[in-house]
């Protein structure tokens, strides 16, 4: 038609920049065989740009001010967005644009009723649907009314909700433009919404149809209760109808099934589940909109396994239904990872892992399907996280979902006995000392040898280092040492509860256990505070640094760039006591600088790269503790553990067969104190090695920047290890579009909440505790560290934002070892994610902090500053005000 107006049937997905998301999707829909779309046209983004070109300077100023508003400043957004809308609506539609619109109306029927609908360029995207963010107007009749409502649609690009949505998704207001769809109205006998996947569970095989009589606006606005049809495998499996329509539902079952069949055709065309608006007129379904369902968690896609799969991990791949368990919930890091971090973790992990939504999952289908391995898997998982066990049991209970177990092999002829289980480790501290020393020698060799490698030689070296990494971590003695501490903990808790009626006795018996590198890290930061505390000018300087956290340029370096010798550390040297303070911080970074929040992703900035991250925790320690707190705290824990040991053994000896029970318990106490601290060391070793890999890869990325292959160094984070190797060694090029797409995907993944368990149907399961022994209104979780504490809740989503006072209770989504410095200043902990043997639980027990983990939606149900009571022994949290 013209640059300002296009027939909807001319549109397709490639024209989003011209037609906006809605119109482009409608054009695509009209091309699908059997799909009917109401006729109409699109007023293109060229027309919108023409209008803005005639806008007064005040509009430009208003948009600029809106860009600078903080996302949380609702009042400023409301005021400024209203100003921008009024300014746009006041601009007359240019004559050339108006003429094209009226010509189109004449062709489609000037006096017909039309739907005038916004179609923004950042709308109906795979990563953000923008559903309901801009305006739609129905029953618009006549050219003047259509032109007026087109102006309103242009202005609706700046509704308060649209502005807030863009800011929360990191989308610049100036990069989004508005087209407008003008469609002939269809006056149906029924209308509604079809979800081709269950929007609540994510099940891709279950479709949901919502239907109401007449126009669908009553459904969207919530004025009418819809009839709801659940359709699976071509039949209605559940139906819920409004009481007034029970005798004659809005749709017949056959119509609901037919609509879902049409929806499956649309889903196949777009390649992902769809949220489809439809109407039924004259016996035919008309599709008025289809957008991707952006809230569904993606289904894992199998990836090639670079090494032979062991019998333990022979579950990956294969056909049929699959069951996946979240790696992030075991590693206490449920945030998305960037591609380089994902691929390096996959290449160094002991089990094959698949990626979905920026997270990693392990396929446990084979182990669940086999009754022989199922019991052990559920027992091990259940001890750590009963929610995962419950979710898996839900899947097991479904007839026909899991594959049938293989037939047992025929009896084999007699032969030599099978390999025996490895000899149990002696309870000898020298075992742990040797394992730690072995790791340190290997790490030193890695650091020494990698310095001489660049280009192809570097990638060959790292590939070999990954295999050495796996060989070291796969050492049976490491697993034995870790399991020795865990099994001794379980033995003590199980038997002392049976013999003495005492819950979680091991929590006290393991206080101040030797060799726990993570708890030592928290105490060591108390020692740093002791060096800084006597120097007021240093404290004031660090307070200024803390106040600038999150402000670009605090370190004077780019994201991920090392700050050694630069940033705030240089400023310390000019102050009285600054040299001592800097030396203490540098010494701390020398031991723990490879750590950071979310440290399993090597693309996350390490403390060595951003030392200012530690400043708030250091200042909390300066404020909340007296000198010598680290030593006192360790000695206090050790004293309590010894007193508990004497008390338990004394009570046991008073029981029937008490001497035997006391002797066995003493052996287990010695065993748990020998090995439980080592539980944290393999992770420390992994993170230490990963930091070496990262530094080497960043140096290679810097060379690619100098060669013009990468625009900036951190672009390498959005490539897999294999893709980075290809760019550095063979192709010497990187597709900029791939980098941009990966960045967009990563932003979208941050809005997703990963489930504990995921099926190949896309169903997300998080399990339930199924308990009835907690007070009404209490939040249920997993007890991981005994004791009861009442205090002020501090809801902290980012360690750098923590502002803790003595006696506070930390409430957060998850903690990993990098949070340990905060543990020394709190009295209890509540997390949404975690298990009995995850790092936060181990350190909470080490420090004697009552803790409840796995509390669903804790950071939303508990208000910052609210008084709560944490029942760490029984596993629940009471809200007191």
């Amino acid at each position: 038609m013209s640059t300002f107006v296009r027939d909807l049937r001319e549109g397709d997905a490639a024209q989003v920049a011209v037609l906006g998301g809605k119109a482009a999707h409608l054009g695509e829909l009209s091309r699908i065989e059997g799909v009917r779309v109401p006729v109409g046209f699109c007023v293109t983004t060229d027309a919108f740009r023409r209008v803005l070109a005639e806008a007064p300077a005040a509009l430009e100023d208003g948009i600029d001010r809106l860009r600078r508003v903080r996302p949380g400043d609702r009042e400023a957004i409301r005021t400024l967005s209203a100003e921008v809308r009024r300014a746009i609506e006041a601009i007359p539609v240019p004559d050339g644009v108006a003429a094209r619109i009226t010509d189109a109306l004449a062709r489609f029927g000037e006096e017909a009723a039309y739907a005038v609908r916004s179609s923004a360029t950042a709308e109906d995207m795979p990563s953000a649907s923008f559903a309901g963010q801009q305006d739609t107007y129905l029953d618009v009749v006549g050219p003047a009314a259509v032109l007026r409502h087109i102006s309103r649609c242009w202005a609706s690009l700046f509704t308060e909700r649209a502005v807030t949505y863009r800011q929360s998704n990191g989308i610049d207001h100036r990069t989004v433009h508005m087209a407008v769809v003008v469609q002939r109205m269809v006056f149906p006998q029924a209308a509604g919404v079809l979800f081709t996947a269950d929007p609540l569970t994510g099940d891709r095989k279950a479709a949901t149809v919502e239907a109401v009589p007449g126009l669908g606006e009553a459904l969207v606005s919530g004025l009418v209760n819809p009839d709801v049809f659940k359709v699976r495998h071509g039949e209605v499996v559940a139906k819920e109808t409004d009481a007034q329509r029970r005798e004659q539902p809005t749709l017949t079952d056959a119509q609901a099934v037919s609509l879902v069949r049409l929806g499956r055709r649309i889903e196949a065309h777009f390649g992902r589940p769809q949220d489809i608006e439809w109407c039924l007129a004259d016996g035919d379904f008309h599709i008025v909109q289809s957008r991707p369902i952006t809230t569904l968690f993606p289904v894992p896609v199998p990836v090639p396994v670079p090494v032979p799969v062991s019998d333990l991990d022979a579950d990956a791949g294969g056909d049929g239904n699959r069951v996946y368990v979240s790696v992030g919930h075991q590693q206490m890091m449920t945030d998305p990872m960037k591609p380089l971090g994902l691929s390096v973790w996959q290449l160094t992990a002991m089990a094959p892992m698949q990626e979905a939504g920026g997270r990693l999952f392990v396929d446990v289908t084979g182990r669940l399907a086999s009754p022989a391995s199922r019991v052990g898997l559920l027992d091990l998982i259940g001890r750590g996280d009963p929610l995962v066990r419950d979710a898996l049991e839900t899947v097991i209970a479904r007839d026909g979902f899991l594959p049938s177990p293989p037939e047992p092999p025929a009896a084999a002829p007699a032969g030599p006995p099978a390999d025996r289980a490895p000899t149990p480790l002696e309870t000898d501290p020298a075992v742990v000392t040797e394992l730690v020393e072995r790791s340190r020698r290997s790490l030193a060799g890695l650091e020494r040898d990698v310095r001489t490698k660049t280009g192809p030689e570097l990638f060959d070296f790292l590939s070999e280092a990954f295999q050495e990494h796996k060989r070291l971590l796969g050492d049976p003695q490491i697993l034995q040492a870790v399991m020795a501490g865990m099994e001794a903990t379980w033995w003590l808790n199980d038997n002392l509860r049976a013999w003495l009626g005492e819950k979680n006795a091991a929590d006290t018996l393991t206080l101040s256990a030797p060799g726990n590198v993570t708890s030592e890290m928290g105490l060591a930061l108390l020692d740093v505070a002791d060096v800084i505390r006597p120097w007021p000018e240093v404290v004031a300087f660090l307070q200024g640094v803390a106040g600038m956290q999150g402000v670009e340029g605090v370190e004077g370096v780019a994201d991920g760039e090392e700050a050694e010798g630069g940033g705030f550390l240089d400023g310390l040297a000019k102050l009285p006591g600054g040299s001592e303070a800097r030396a203490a911080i540098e010494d701390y970074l020398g031991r723990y600088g490879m750590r950071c929040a979310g440290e399993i992703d090597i693309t996350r900035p390490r403390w060595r790269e951003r030392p200012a991250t530690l400043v708030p925790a250091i200042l909390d320690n300066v404020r909340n503790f007296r000198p010598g707190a680290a030593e006192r705290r360790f000695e206090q824990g050790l004293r309590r553990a010894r007193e508990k040991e004497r008390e338990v053994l004394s009570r046991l000896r008073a029981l029937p067969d008490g001497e035997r029970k006391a002797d066995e318990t003493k052996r287990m106490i010695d065993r748990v104190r020998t090995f439980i601290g080592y539980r944290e060391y393999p992770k420390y070793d992994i993170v230490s090695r990963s930091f070496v890999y990262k530094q080497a890869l960043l140096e290679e990325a810097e060379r690619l920047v100098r060669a013009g292959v990468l625009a900036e160094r951190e672009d390498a984070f959005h490539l897999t290890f294999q893709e980075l190797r290809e760019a550095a060694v063979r192709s010497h090029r990187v597709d900029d579009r791939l980098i941009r797409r990966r960045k967009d995907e990563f932003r979208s993944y941050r809005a997703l909440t990963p489930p504990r368990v995921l099926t190949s149907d896309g169903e997300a399961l998080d399990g339930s505790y199924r308990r009835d022994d907690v007070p009404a209104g209490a939040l249920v979780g997993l007890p991981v560290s005994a004791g009861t504490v009442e205090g002020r809740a501090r809801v902290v989503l980012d360690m750098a934002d923590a502002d803790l006072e003595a006696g506070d209770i930390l409430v957060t989504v998850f903690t990993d070892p990098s949070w340990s410095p905060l543990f020394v200043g709190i009295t209890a902990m509540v997390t949404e994610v975690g298990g009995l043997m995850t790092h936060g639980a181990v350190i909470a027990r080490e420090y004697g902090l009552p803790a409840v983990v796995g509390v669903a939606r804790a950071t939303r149900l508990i208000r910052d500053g609210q008084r709560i009571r944490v029942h760490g022994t029984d596993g629940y949290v009471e809200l007191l005000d």
Side-chain angles (χ1 to χ4, degrees):
M1 291 182 176
S2 76
T3 59
F4 297 139
V5 173
R6 297 274 187 90
D7 190 305
L8 280 179
R9 290 169 295 188
E10 298 175 7
D12 58 41
Q15 299 182 58
V16 171
V18 176
L19 305 179
K22 186 181 281 104
H25 270 71
L26 289 169
E28 282 282 330
L29 285 166
S30 67
R31 296 165 182 265
I32 304 172
E33 184 180 355
V35 176
R36 301 189 64 175
V37 177
V39 297
F41 60 91
C42 175
V43 182
T44 68
T45 56
D46 289 337
F48 179 69
R49 291 188 182 90
R50 173 71 180 274
V51 169
L52 291 188
E54 300 185 9
L59 176 61
E60 291 290 317
D61 179 63
I63 295 174
D64 281 338
R65 284 186 291 151
L66 201 53
R67 293 172 71 191
R68 295 192 294 270
V69 172
R70 290 186 298 104
D73 192 344
R74 298 288 297 275
E75 185 58 38
I77 292 174
R78 183 179 301 114
T79 301
L80 288 173
S81 62
E83 289 178 11
V84 172
R85 288 198 306 278
R86 285 194 296 270
I88 293 175
E89 287 189 46
I91 302 170
V93 178
D95 291 342
V97 176
R100 299 296 183 273
I101 293 170
T102 53
D103 287 347
L105 287 170
R107 280 189 294 273
F108 286 104
E110 192 171 273
E111 295 306 316
Y114 286 88
V116 182
R117 312 168 68 195
S118 304
S119 181
T121 54
E123 189 172 353
D124 294 348
M125 302 186 304
S127 59
S129 76
F130 283 72
Q133 301 307 311
Q134 282 90 38
D135 289 346
T136 289
Y137 302 95
L138 303 179
D139 275 330
V140 182
V141 180
V146 169
L147 288 170
R148 185 166 63 252
H149 285 87
I150 287 172
S151 289
R152 290 180 179 176
C153 283
W154 285 332
S156 74
L157 188 63
F158 292 94
T159 62
E160 180 186 346
R161 59 187 182 274
V163 169
T164 302
Y165 194 84
R166 283 197 296 273
Q167 287 183 324
S168 65
N169 282 274
I171 298 171
D172 189 336
H173 304 308
R174 289 191 178 280
T175 65
V176 183
H177 300 284
M178 180 67 82
V180 181
V181 173
V182 181
Q183 278 180 291
R184 282 282 296 261
M185 287 285 294
V186 173
F187 295 96
Q189 64 260 33
V193 179
L194 160 64
F195 298 97
T196 64
D198 190 314
L200 298 179
T201 69
D203 188 346
R204 269 51 165 193
K205 292 184 179 177
T208 300
V209 177
E210 296 184 351
V212 295
L215 287 169
E217 286 303 298
L219 170 61
V220 174
S221 60
L223 298 176
V224 176
N225 291 324
D227 296 339
V228 180
F229 301 80
K230 297 286 187 181
V231 178
R232 190 178 180 91
H233 298 312
E235 63 177 327
V236 174
V237 296
K239 182 165 54 178
E240 182 181 334
T241 57
D242 185 87
Q244 297 179 346
R245 298 189 297 273
R246 194 151 293 157
E247 297 302 318
Q248 190 173 1
T250 309
L251 297 178
T252 66
D253 285 7
Q255 286 174 323
V257 170
S258 176
L259 176 59
V260 170
R261 193 177 299 121
L262 186 64
R264 293 293 182 213
R265 194 177 302 164
I266 295 170
E267 178 185 68
H269 179 85
F270 288 113
R272 60 184 298 151
Q274 297 288 300
D275 167 359
I276 299 168
E277 294 180 23
W278 59 270
C279 57
L280 178 65
D282 300 323
D284 285 327
F285 286 107
H286 299 256
I287 305 301
V288 296
Q289 186 158 310
S290 183
R291 61 168 69 92
I293 307 176
T294 59
T295 56
L296 299 178
F297 199 87
V299 178
V301 177
V303 295
V305 180
V307 294
V309 181
S310 69
D311 291 339
L312 178 66
D313 303 316
D315 300 318
D319 298 324
N321 297 328
R322 315 302 297 172
V323 184
Y324 305 95
V325 171
S326 166
V327 173
H329 284 80
Q330 311 305 311
Q331 292 294 331
M332 298 296 284
M333 210 292 277
T334 56
D335 290 346
M337 298 167 64
K338 293 175 183 173
L340 186 62
L342 287 166
S343 63
V344 170
W345 191 265
Q346 287 172 305
L347 289 167
T348 54
M350 300 306 297
M353 296 178 181
Q354 285 115 310
E355 182 272 337
R359 282 82 168 184
L360 292 170
F361 293 83
V362 172
D363 187 337
V364 297
T365 312
R367 278 169 279 184
L368 284 184
S370 168
S373 59
R374 178 190 303 165
V375 173
L377 175 67
L378 292 177
D379 182 62
L380 183 63
I381 284 179
R383 285 185 176 273
D385 188 339
L387 291 177
V388 176
R389 175 172 183 149
D390 183 78
L392 292 176
E393 288 176 334
T394 299
V395 176
I396 293 168
R398 293 176 178 163
D399 290 339
F401 187 85
L402 290 172
S404 301
E407 292 292 328
D419 291 342
R420 295 175 180 172
T423 303
L425 293 180
E426 294 183 21
T427 303
D428 182 358
V431 173
V432 172
T433 301
E434 171 54 28
L435 287 174
V436 170
E437 192 53 41
R438 196 183 305 168
S439 294
R440 287 175 175 166
R441 288 196 299 268
S442 176
L443 177 62
L446 174 67
E447 292 173 328
R448 179 189 64 244
D449 296 341
V450 77
R451 294 191 190 104
T452 63
K453 307 295 190 294
T454 60
E457 190 179 16
L458 171 68
F459 286 95
D460 289 343
F461 174 81
L462 288 178
S463 296
E464 293 174 5
F466 295 162
Q467 296 307 310
E468 173 67 4
H469 180 127
K470 296 173 71 169
R471 188 190 67 76
L472 285 170
L473 291 174
D475 183 341
Q477 202 171 44
I478 289 179
L479 180 59
Q480 283 181 282
V482 170
M483 291 304 299
M486 293 169 64
E487 289 167 350
T489 299
W490 298 336
W491 189 98
L492 287 167
N493 282 336
D494 291 347
N495 284 279
L496 294 182
R497 183 166 187 172
W499 294 337
L500 300 177
E502 186 163 340
K503 296 179 182 179
N504 304 324
D507 293 358
T508 305
L509 292 167
T510 54
L511 289 171
S512 297
N516 188 318
V517 67
T518 306
S519 62
E520 290 169 356
M521 178 174 68
L523 296 177
L525 205 62
L526 287 171
D527 292 334
V528 173
D530 285 353
V531 175
I532 290 169
R533 190 178 292 104
W535 304 100
E537 291 183 61
V538 171
V539 172
F541 177 81
L542 293 179
Q543 287 169 339
V545 172
M548 290 192 64
Q549 282 286 8
V551 178
E552 187 175 0
V554 167
E555 297 295 351
V557 294
D559 182 12
E561 187 174 340
E562 290 195 32
E564 291 179 273
F568 84 94
L569 291 175
D570 284 343
L572 282 174
K574 305 168 186 175
L575 302 172
S579 297
E580 294 89 334
R582 174 171 179 161
I585 294 172
E586 287 282 11
D587 178 66
Y588 186 86
L589 293 172
R591 288 181 285 164
Y592 307 112
M594 77 296 291
R595 311 218 81 151
C596 69
E599 62 193 7
I600 69 171
D601 180 359
I602 70 166
T603 72
R604 291 285 192 104
R606 310 284 131 174
W607 290 343
R608 167 52 74 187
E609 296 166 330
R610 286 189 178 176
T613 304
L614 292 169
V615 171
I618 292 172
L619 290 172
D620 283 347
N621 290 346
V622 168
R623 182 175 67 248
N624 296 331
F625 294 94
R626 293 181 292 109
E631 184 177 358
R632 284 196 306 276
R633 190 175 192 114
F634 185 84
E635 289 300 322
Q636 181 186 33
L638 189 59
R639 185 167 58 253
R640 286 182 59 197
R642 288 170 175 166
E643 290 171 354
K644 187 66 176 178
E645 178 180 334
R646 287 193 294 269
E647 176 217 323
V648 163
L649 296 179
S650 174
R651 291 169 62 194
L652 286 173
R653 291 190 179 102
L655 299 176
D657 198 21
E659 287 299 328
R660 179 188 63 80
K661 292 174 179 175
D663 288 346
E664 289 183 5
T665 300
K666 172 60 176 170
R667 282 195 297 273
M668 284 299 173
I669 292 173
D670 291 345
R671 191 163 181 79
V672 78
R673 293 194 65 81
T674 296
F675 290 111
I676 199 64
Y678 182 71
R679 164 72 177 79
E680 292 292 294
Y681 198 86
K683 179 70 171 291
Y684 176 81
D685 188 37
I686 290 171
V687 174
S688 298
R689 297 179 71 87
S690 296
F691 189 40
V692 178
Y693 307 151
K694 177 182 183 178
Q695 290 172 305
L697 290 170
L698 278 176
E699 289 178 10
E700 196 63 30
E702 191 63 60
R703 282 188 279 273
L704 292 176
V705 171
R706 291 196 296 269
V709 177
L710 291 176
E712 56 185 29
R713 193 178 65 163
E714 282 68 36
D715 282 351
F717 294 161
H718 296 280
L719 300 173
T720 66
F721 177 80
Q722 296 88 342
E723 290 167 344
L724 185 57
R725 181 177 193 163
E726 176 70 20
V729 175
R730 297 185 183 90
S731 69
H732 303 293
R733 62 179 298 274
V734 170
D735 187 344
D736 291 340
R737 292 171 300 177
L738 174 66
I739 299 292
R740 287 196 299 272
R741 178 168 62 82
R742 293 270 176 83
K743 289 180 178 180
D744 288 342
E745 288 173 345
F746 181 74
R747 278 194 293 268
S748 71
Y749 293 155
R750 293 170 66 178
L752 299 176
T753 300
R756 286 175 166 81
V757 172
L758 189 63
T759 73
S760 50
D761 286 350
E763 185 177 7
L765 300 106
D766 276 301
S768 301
Y769 287 107
R770 306 185 191 280
R771 292 176 55 186
D772 56 8
D773 59 342
V774 298
L779 308 181
V780 183
L782 178 66
V784 296
S785 187
T788 300
V789 164
E790 181 179 321
R792 181 181 68 162
R794 296 313 307 264
V795 179
V796 180
L797 301 181
D798 186 333
M799 177 181 162
D801 297 332
D803 182 16
L804 300 170
E805 300 287 347
D808 282 347
I809 296 172
L810 174 66
V811 180
T812 190
V813 178
F814 61 81
T815 65
D816 60 14
S818 72
W819 288 66
S820 298
L822 298 187
F823 283 28
V824 298
I826 60 177
T827 57
M829 179 183 74
V830 179
T831 68
E832 295 182 359
V833 176
L836 187 63
M837 284 297 172
T838 47
H839 302 279
V842 171
I843 303 308
R845 291 193 292 273
E846 173 75 12
Y847 287 166
L849 303 174
V852 181
V853 303
V855 179
R857 299 172 61 233
T859 58
R860 283 165 283 182
L861 296 175
I862 300 173
R863 301 189 314 274
D864 186 50
Q866 185 175 19
R867 290 198 66 78
I868 63 174
R869 184 180 297 124
V870 178
H871 295 263
T873 305
D874 295 308
Y876 63 90
V877 180
E878 290 183 280
L879 310 180
L880 302 181
D881 58 46

